[in-house]
Amino acid sequence: MGAGHAHVLYQEGASPVHRLPPEVKIVSMVVFTLAVVATPREAFWAFGGYAMLVAVVAGLARVGPGWLLSRSLIELPFVLFAVALPFLGAGERVDVLGVSLSSDGLLGAWNIVAKGTLGVLASLLLAATTTTRDLIVGLDRLRCPQILTQIATFMLRYLDVLVGEARRMRVARVSRGDDPRFLWQLRGFAAGVGALFLRAFERGERVYLAMLSRGYAGRMPAVWQGAGAATAGQWLVAATVPALAATIAAAAVVLT
């Protein structure tokens, strides 16, 4: 279970951010995101401060702006929803380039786009500097419920196996004349999904019995976490960004 698994967002590197233990990066990202969410939407200057913090961390991690912007397109559906708010919102109206827009809707759209973008960028920086396995190890060190970390561990370990199994089943269907592009082949596709589920269930039973025979008692062994738990100094270094974000949020609440 100690096999390393990278993911498509992880960028190999030796930057100071990469070297930080995963638990401190997880806590820092969560606290930063909470500070952003707690900031009043009218405090425009505060969001500029948050963007500067993200830019500094990205520079330290050697993660390029192009990479961040291209991956942040995942929030596009929320941006499209936000664009509609000024047109659909009620209350006081303002004219922008001859178009009547809701002032409350404009603030709501800004709130969604600004906070959503900052949250996505923070998550991308965490994913770019931390492998999937280290993320799970970090959650385990933070006393996340064992059942959740174990489910995530096994999913990570056997996801490639299931994807390969599904690919082989699809090739077998196509070689026998099945064409999944047409709706009348949906029945065959559904049968394939059911067969894949049964195979995954049976494989899981075999793996579980094999683990029991090797002394598994409901918890992952301590050696799985490995060495390198965060020191007090690393916690202090990682606390810089969330502390600054919390200070900005507190000032924005007081001044707004």
Side-chain angles (χ1 to χ4, degrees):
M1 297 307 301
H5 291 265
H7 52 76
V8 293
L9 295 179
Y10 178 68
Q11 289 193 324
E12 191 74 32
S15 71
V17 183
H18 282 81
R19 291 194 296 268
L20 284 174
E23 60 268 28
V24 301
K25 289 188 280 188
I26 293 172
V27 172
S28 298
M29 189 273 291
V30 171
V31 175
F32 174 83
T33 304
L34 290 177
V36 171
V37 171
T39 303
R41 61 186 183 181
E42 296 84 3
F44 302 107
W45 62 270
F47 297 99
Y50 297 140
M52 289 182 61
L53 290 177
V54 170
V56 169
V57 175
L60 290 174
R62 302 184 181 93
V63 178
W67 186 92
L68 285 173
L69 292 176
S70 62
R71 269 67 178 183
S72 64
L73 292 178
I74 191 175
E75 67 166 340
L76 188 59
F78 301 97
V79 173
L80 294 177
F81 171 75
V83 169
L85 287 180
F87 300 94
L88 303 178
E92 183 181 352
R93 313 290 292 188
V94 295
D95 288 335
V96 178
L97 300 177
V99 180
S100 178
L101 302 176
S102 167
S103 58
D104 190 61
L106 286 171
L107 285 175
W110 157 256
N111 190 55
I112 293 174
V113 173
K115 295 181 179 180
T117 300
L118 289 169
V120 169
L121 292 177
S123 301
L124 286 173
L125 285 175
L126 175 63
T129 57
T130 315
T131 64
T132 308
R133 180 192 179 278
D134 284 343
L135 285 174
I136 298 174
V137 170
L139 291 173
D140 199 51
R141 290 174 180 168
L142 293 171
R143 300 296 186 270
C144 183
Q146 276 276 321
I147 187 65
L148 297 181
T149 56
Q150 290 183 50
I151 289 174
T153 301
F154 293 131
M155 180 187 71
L156 171 66
R157 177 64 181 82
Y158 291 105
L159 182 61
D160 292 339
V161 176
L162 292 179
V163 170
E165 190 80 20
R167 186 180 297 113
R168 289 191 295 272
M169 293 174 63
R170 183 182 183 279
V171 171
R173 291 201 316 271
V174 172
S175 65
R176 288 167 174 79
D178 181 68
D179 192 341
R181 294 177 299 175
F182 297 103
L183 289 178
W184 54 80
Q185 303 287 357
L186 188 60
R187 180 179 178 181
F189 174 77
V193 172
L196 180 62
F197 172 77
L198 291 176
R199 291 185 183 184
F201 182 81
E202 292 172 352
R203 187 188 298 271
E205 286 290 316
R206 292 195 300 270
V207 171
Y208 179 68
L209 292 176
M211 291 176 63
L212 288 179
S213 67
R214 289 164 175 79
Y216 177 70
R219 294 182 64 87
M220 298 301 293
V223 69
W224 179 79
Q225 294 186 358
T231 63
Q234 289 172 324
W235 277 108
L236 289 176
V237 171
T240 304
V241 171
L244 290 174
T247 302
I248 293 174
V253 172
V254 172
L255 298 176
T256 303

